[in-house]
Amino acid sequence: MPATTEAALKRWTEQEYRWGFTTDIEADSAPPGLNEDIIHLISTKKKEPDWMLEWRLRSLRHWLTLKEPAWSNVHYPPIDYQNIVYYSAPKQMKRPERLEDVDPKLLETYKKLGIPLEEQKLLAGVAVDAVFDSVSVATTFKEKLAELGIIFCPFSQAVREHPDLVRKYLGTVVPYSDNFFASLNSAVFTDGSFVYVPKGVRCPMELSTYFRINAASTGQFERTLIIADEGAYVSYLEGCTAPMRDENQLHAAVVELVALDNATIKYSTIQNWYPGDADGKGGIYNFVTKRGKCLGRSSHISWTQVETGAAITWKYPSCLLIGDRSVGEFYSIALTKGRQQADTGTKMMHIGKDTRSTIVSKGISAGFGQNTYRGMVKINERAVGARNYTQCDSMLLGDKCGAHTFPYIQVGNNTAQMEHEATTSKIGEDQLFYCKQRGIGAEDAVNMIVNGFCREVFRELPMEFAVEAQKLLEVSLEGSVG
Amino acid sequence: MISAKQQESPILEVKDLHVAIEGHEILKGIDLQVNAGEVHSIMGPNGSGKSTLAQVLAGRDVYEVTRGEIIYKGKNLLDMAPEERACEGVFLAFQYPVGIPGVSTSYFLKTALNAMRKHRGEKELDAVDFLKIAKEKAKLVKMDERLLNRAINDGFSGGEKKRNEVFQLAVLEPALAILDETDSGLDIDALKIAASGVNCMRSSDRAFIVVTHYQRLLNYIVPDFVHVLVDGLIVKSGDKFLALELEEKGYSWIEQEAQRKQLATC
């Protein structure tokens, strides 16, 4: 990573910034359980307008009528939703004084990922001495975006400061009634990001380094809304390659994207939540609803994800291709090892004419990992000239893991062109031996083969992120091959 | 046949080598000495154990060595992992080179070369230095440079795969190069090019073992010794003229000769 000090500095300051705005919530928690009182409490604490409270309450009432979905190919003990604390102030963790006090295993991983020292401290929660002028960097960053009219702020701030925009778009992509976890999120979400890029503006920086460190303190129920107005462009990066430890076992986030005429949104995710121990104990349940709406003509939404963490991943970043000639893309790498389970994929709903979608999914299973691709491509009756290309590849390392593929295809008119390719390969003894015969050791050989397998997806990630993602896969695969 | 000087520098000594796969014996007592600067050809009918010998030398673990030993440059080769053998200079040009999607030939080979350089305590090459060497060697074996950017052996034609093996041989400069049926699947032009690539790699400190079913290749890579392998045993050794004799008469007379010998010893 180039200019590491500057980047670390920037990240540090942004964290300061974020903590800054959360301090208006007093350090107290609600009792466990979910009812209307709790919703009132959350809304009051966040000083929300009435419409927001109403929306939350409607969501809660709807959620109470729903049953947890059981159709996915993941298995976990029942979750007691009345035993979860839905509101608590930022946790006051006992902070290590020095980096030396942090779990050496964690530090070793940071080192392998090439994370700079200052940032390691931040991630590990070490109290950092602020020797640099943190305010000025954050200000420069904010000023630059403000000059262009770009709004980029915590969701709760947007609710207060940009209520018209939030009201116009919130729930228009993922309605509060969408599914069990989305309804839950709509009722109790605590924070997230809000982005608005005005007409014709190309966001000059990846909204990445900013968020990256914020991810260290993201809540359990995140809500993100990104709007790209006509002709706008934005690339948003979520997550972090460093292993994220969190006390909250259940994560149910919602992300909504809206692209108007000729607008482009690129959304990249690296998810590396704590996967649990060797027996799968203690890992994060990651139940996420991500959806983008290509509302405008020739609009473009592209999802790229690298999923290596969490005990359970349940996630289908999707595109509603409403505008004529709009384009949806989904590029995914999902790696499951140990006892991890992933049920992930996408939905491409072709509604407008001449809409196009591309799906490239790479699933890698090792250990006892179970990896499921579940995808739906639906071509509406009116979606004349729609095209889809799907490529769905699975790789198995070892013989105790599993790869599963559930593609659903519905074609409503006869002008559609559909292509579907799927492969399942076992990392071959032949490939390994070929590498070894050229002097390349087993571990390096596996890394090389897996990285080659994922190449098409890495290509879609911003350069710096791609390098980290490759390293992350290597670290994740360590010890997967005997 | 072997001069005193050459005897001083055996690269490879195979002694009474017995090899089985899933309990089935394939090699039944191979003796072979290969000295620096020599080219040995192993010929024989299908199923005689030629490829097994090549794979065992490279360290393929599906084969079980039940008896005998292999000494490489004075060290016990059987104690070494495949990657260690490679780093010590044992190279196998595969009969069926396997594809690795998404990994370019140049990246693959750079990783290989650097693994070997690291093993020898040499500085690893960066992409620029590597590319210089790679382009030079590609020219040497008349391989299209564009193959460097393609995923290794992925969608290569049979000829491209074999030429790529010879190209890797040229880049990695091993002490012992084993060519496993490098001629199969090649037309005569490609065969000549591959052979000329091998010929320019011949040197006084390098040895070759050329495994082949047909004599054809040996017109272009002229061996110092020819060994005929039948049913897991070297039944006849000679010089290049033995190969010609085989071409003319086929393998059956040698097989019969071997059977007679076996009967006599029973």
Side-chain angles (χ1 to χ4, degrees):
Chain A
M1 230 180 326
T4 46
T5 329
E6 197 189 10
L9 199 136
K10 197 184 239 178
R11 286 174 200 132
W12 158 245
T13 56
E14 259 93 67
Q15 189 189 41
E16 269 296 272
Y17 167 67
R18 180 166 168 113
W19 285 0
F21 83 82
T22 46
T23 43
D24 57 351
I25 306 164
E26 291 303 321
D28 55 357
S29 321
L34 186 51
N35 52 50
E36 298 205 0
D37 290 344
I38 297 287
I39 301 296
H40 276 279
L41 175 83
I42 293 173
S43 200
T44 310
K45 286 286 179 191
K46 300 186 88 62
K47 299 193 174 70
E48 284 176 351
D50 287 346
W51 61 265
M52 193 72 254
L53 172 64
E54 281 307 312
W55 201 72
R56 287 181 183 275
L57 289 170
R58 237 179 304 153
S59 306
L60 174 72
R61 286 168 201 147
H62 185 76
W63 179 74
L64 290 168
T65 68
L66 298 176
K67 268 205 178 114
E68 198 171 330
W71 46 262
S72 66
N73 193 24
V74 295
H75 307 278
Y76 53 93
I79 298 169
D80 183 357
Y81 291 91
Q82 294 302 337
N83 197 27
I84 292 174
V85 174
Y86 289 90
Y87 176 79
S88 77
K91 276 191 296 292
Q92 290 299 314
M93 287 180 292
K94 208 177 144 236
R95 289 171 152 270
E97 296 281 318
R98 299 164 305 155
L99 203 55
E100 290 74 42
D101 302 334
V102 176
D103 181 1
K105 260 195 196 155
L106 203 63
L107 290 180
E108 202 183 310
T109 312
Y110 290 161
K111 222 163 114 188
K112 283 177 190 154
L113 289 167
I115 293 169
L117 201 66
E118 283 306 306
E119 197 178 330
Q120 288 186 25
K121 291 184 188 168
L122 287 174
L123 291 167
V126 175
V128 180
D129 300 322
V131 285
F132 31 71
D133 183 5
S134 53
V135 183
S136 64
V137 179
T139 311
T140 317
F141 187 83
K142 281 204 85 177
E143 272 174 4
K144 202 165 174 186
L145 290 178
E147 254 172 47
L148 294 162
I150 297 170
I151 302 168
F152 182 26
C153 64
F155 197 90
S156 51
Q157 187 185 333
V159 167
R160 291 190 302 270
E161 293 175 12
H162 309 280
D164 294 346
L165 275 173
V166 176
R167 283 186 87 165
K168 187 169 173 190
Y169 291 106
L170 177 69
T172 61
V173 188
V174 181
Y176 67 82
S177 57
D178 192 77
N179 69 68
F180 183 84
F181 296 112
S183 292
L184 178 64
N185 175 287
S186 302
V188 302
F189 72 86
T190 34
D191 225 315
S193 295
F194 177 81
V195 178
Y196 172 78
V197 186
K199 267 185 198 172
V201 171
R202 190 182 167 88
C203 184
M205 52 193 101
E206 310 272 356
L207 297 182
S208 64
T209 42
Y210 180 92
F211 194 74
R212 181 172 145 141
I213 211 66
N214 280 356
S217 56
T218 41
Q220 197 170 1
F221 300 100
E222 245 183 290
R223 183 116 201 161
T224 292
L225 175 58
I226 300 176
I227 302 140
D229 211 326
E230 291 173 22
Y233 170 91
V234 62
S235 170
Y236 185 91
L237 308 188
E238 172 202 19
C240 185
T241 50
M244 285 290 152
R245 285 171 192 272
D246 194 302
E247 306 289 313
N248 303 313
Q249 205 176 17
L250 175 66
H251 279 243
V254 171
V255 176
E256 296 180 279
L257 312 181
V258 180
L260 302 182
D261 286 359
N262 299 304
T264 298
I265 302 175
K266 261 181 90 75
Y267 193 105
S268 312
T269 306
I270 289 188
Q271 184 266 108
N272 191 21
W273 293 106
Y274 182 54
D277 64 12
D279 301 320
K281 248 194 194 150
I284 302 284
Y285 297 169
N286 194 33
F287 299 130
V288 183
T289 306
K290 287 182 168 176
R291 195 174 301 152
K293 204 177 203 175
C294 282
L295 199 56
R297 277 170 290 140
S298 302
S299 54
H300 188 154
I301 287 179
S302 180
W303 297 100
T304 306
Q305 61 174 21
V306 179
E307 303 280 325
T308 59
I312 296 173
T313 298
W314 180 99
K315 174 179 171 187
Y316 315 91
S318 304
C319 294
L320 303 170
L321 302 168
I322 296 166
D324 292 348
R325 295 187 305 284
S326 58
V327 179
E329 291 171 319
F330 174 74
Y331 299 96
S332 169
I333 295 170
L335 181 138
T336 51
K337 62 175 195 300
R339 299 278 171 180
Q340 282 178 288
Q341 309 172 59
D343 191 312
T344 186
T346 185
K347 279 192 277 187
M348 293 291 175
M349 313 301 265
H350 291 255
I351 298 154
K353 294 189 183 81
D354 300 314
T355 44
R356 281 185 291 138
S357 62
T358 302
I359 298 170
V360 177
S361 164
K362 305 279 182 178
I364 303 148
S365 315
F368 295 91
Q370 294 295 326
N371 210 317
T372 300
Y373 168 80
R374 187 184 304 277
M376 175 182 252
V377 180
K378 190 175 176 185
I379 314 277
N380 261 28
E381 284 161 41
R382 286 176 297 119
V384 179
R387 281 189 292 165
N388 164 264
Y389 171 77
T390 300
Q391 185 191 334
C392 182
D393 300 325
S394 309
M395 183 178 264
L396 300 169
L397 284 86
D399 51 13
K400 293 187 176 65
C401 50
H404 317 271
T405 308
F406 301 96
Y408 304 82
I409 297 173
Q410 282 179 37
V411 180
N413 78 66
N414 57 13
T415 60
Q417 285 181 44
M418 313 283 292
E419 277 179 80
H420 186 101
E421 287 178 26
T423 64
T424 301
S425 55
K426 213 169 157 186
I427 197 159
E429 279 303 316
D430 287 346
Q431 285 176 325
L432 277 176
F433 183 64
Y434 191 72
C435 295
K436 287 184 193 169
Q437 212 303 303
R438 298 299 187 252
I440 304 165
E443 201 133 287
D444 289 341
V446 168
N447 284 336
M448 181 156 49
I449 295 164
V450 170
N451 272 319
F453 175 72
C454 296
R455 204 178 135 92
E456 288 149 289
V457 177
F458 285 139
R459 217 167 41 197
E460 296 300 321
L461 287 170
M463 185 64 177
E464 192 182 299
F465 225 38
V467 173
E468 285 182 42
Q470 285 192 21
K471 278 196 206 147
L472 174 61
L473 273 200
E474 286 173 15
V475 172
S476 304
L477 282 170
E478 252 171 40
S480 296
V481 189
Chain B
M1 234 168 12
I2 296 161
S3 76
K5 189 173 174 284
Q6 280 172 324
Q7 254 177 343
E8 286 167 9
S9 57
I11 284 188
L12 184 74
E13 295 163 276
V14 178
K15 293 175 189 166
D16 192 29
L17 181 69
H18 290 250
V19 172
I21 184 165
E22 288 163 1
H24 178 71
E25 193 167 50
I26 299 173
L27 299 182
K28 300 171 179 173
I30 301 280
D31 290 291
L32 181 68
Q33 180 173 334
V34 179
N35 298 314
E38 295 175 351
V39 175
H40 288 246
S41 172
I42 311 276
M43 300 185 70
N46 289 328
S48 58
K50 301 187 300 283
S51 282
T52 300
L53 177 61
Q55 300 263 326
V56 168
L57 290 174
R60 186 91 203 217
D61 62 4
V62 289
Y63 299 100
E64 192 196 345
V65 175
T66 51
R67 205 195 314 169
E69 56 177 352
I70 305 175
I71 308 296
Y72 171 75
K73 287 183 167 179
K75 287 187 213 164
N76 183 357
L77 191 72
L78 296 173
D79 279 350
M80 299 184 202
E83 57 270 35
E84 199 183 342
R85 299 181 193 198
C87 287
E88 289 285 332
V90 178
F91 178 91
L92 173 65
F94 284 73
Q95 184 178 3
Y96 304 109
V98 61
I100 307 177
V103 178
S104 73
T105 300
S106 113
Y107 182 78
F108 175 81
L109 200 49
K110 181 166 84 87
T111 309
L113 183 59
N114 278 335
M116 293 179 188
R117 290 179 69 96
K118 201 172 163 190
H119 180 83
R120 295 194 293 258
E122 293 168 16
K123 206 177 141 250
E124 294 181 36
L125 294 177
D126 62 22
V128 178
D129 289 340
F130 170 76
L131 211 61
K132 227 166 100 186
I133 294 175
K135 285 188 171 178
E136 200 179 290
K137 300 290 186 180
K139 212 174 274 170
L140 187 73
V141 300
K142 298 195 175 62
M143 189 187 79
D144 189 345
E145 256 180 40
R146 279 174 297 186
L147 280 192
L148 284 172
N149 297 323
R150 282 172 53 190
I152 188 156
N153 297 324
D154 191 27
F156 283 24
S157 70
E160 282 172 333
K161 281 184 191 171
K162 295 299 175 73
R163 198 165 313 165
N164 188 264
E165 294 292 290
V166 177
F167 165 65
Q168 293 184 47
L169 163 66
V171 172
L172 299 176
E173 301 182 317
L176 174 66
I178 305 151
L179 278 63
D180 190 5
E181 308 225 6
T182 298
D183 49 337
S184 66
L186 290 187
D187 61 33
I188 195 74
D189 292 331
L191 183 77
K192 280 185 196 167
I193 292 169
S196 80
V198 170
N199 283 330
C200 43
M201 292 301 293
R202 286 177 81 154
S203 81
S204 59
D205 55 5
R206 179 171 297 130
F208 286 86
I209 296 175
V210 180
V211 173
T212 182
H213 185 71
Y214 300 104
Q215 188 269 339
R216 193 172 74 140
L217 177 67
L218 305 181
N219 286 333
Y220 304 100
I221 303 174
V222 181
D224 300 304
F225 302 94
V226 173
H227 309 279
V228 182
L229 195 60
V230 173
D231 195 22
L233 279 168
I234 290 177
V235 294
K236 205 169 177 64
S237 293
D239 57 15
K240 62 181 177 185
F241 297 107
L242 176 58
L244 291 171
E245 204 178 344
L246 286 169
E247 174 80 350
E248 202 180 305
K249 300 197 215 161
Y251 287 109
S252 51
W253 64 279
I254 284 194
E255 284 175 295
Q256 282 160 11
E257 206 178 282
Q259 270 167 9
R260 270 200 302 276
K261 255 192 223 169
Q262 261 183 347
L263 281 176
T265 54
C266 276

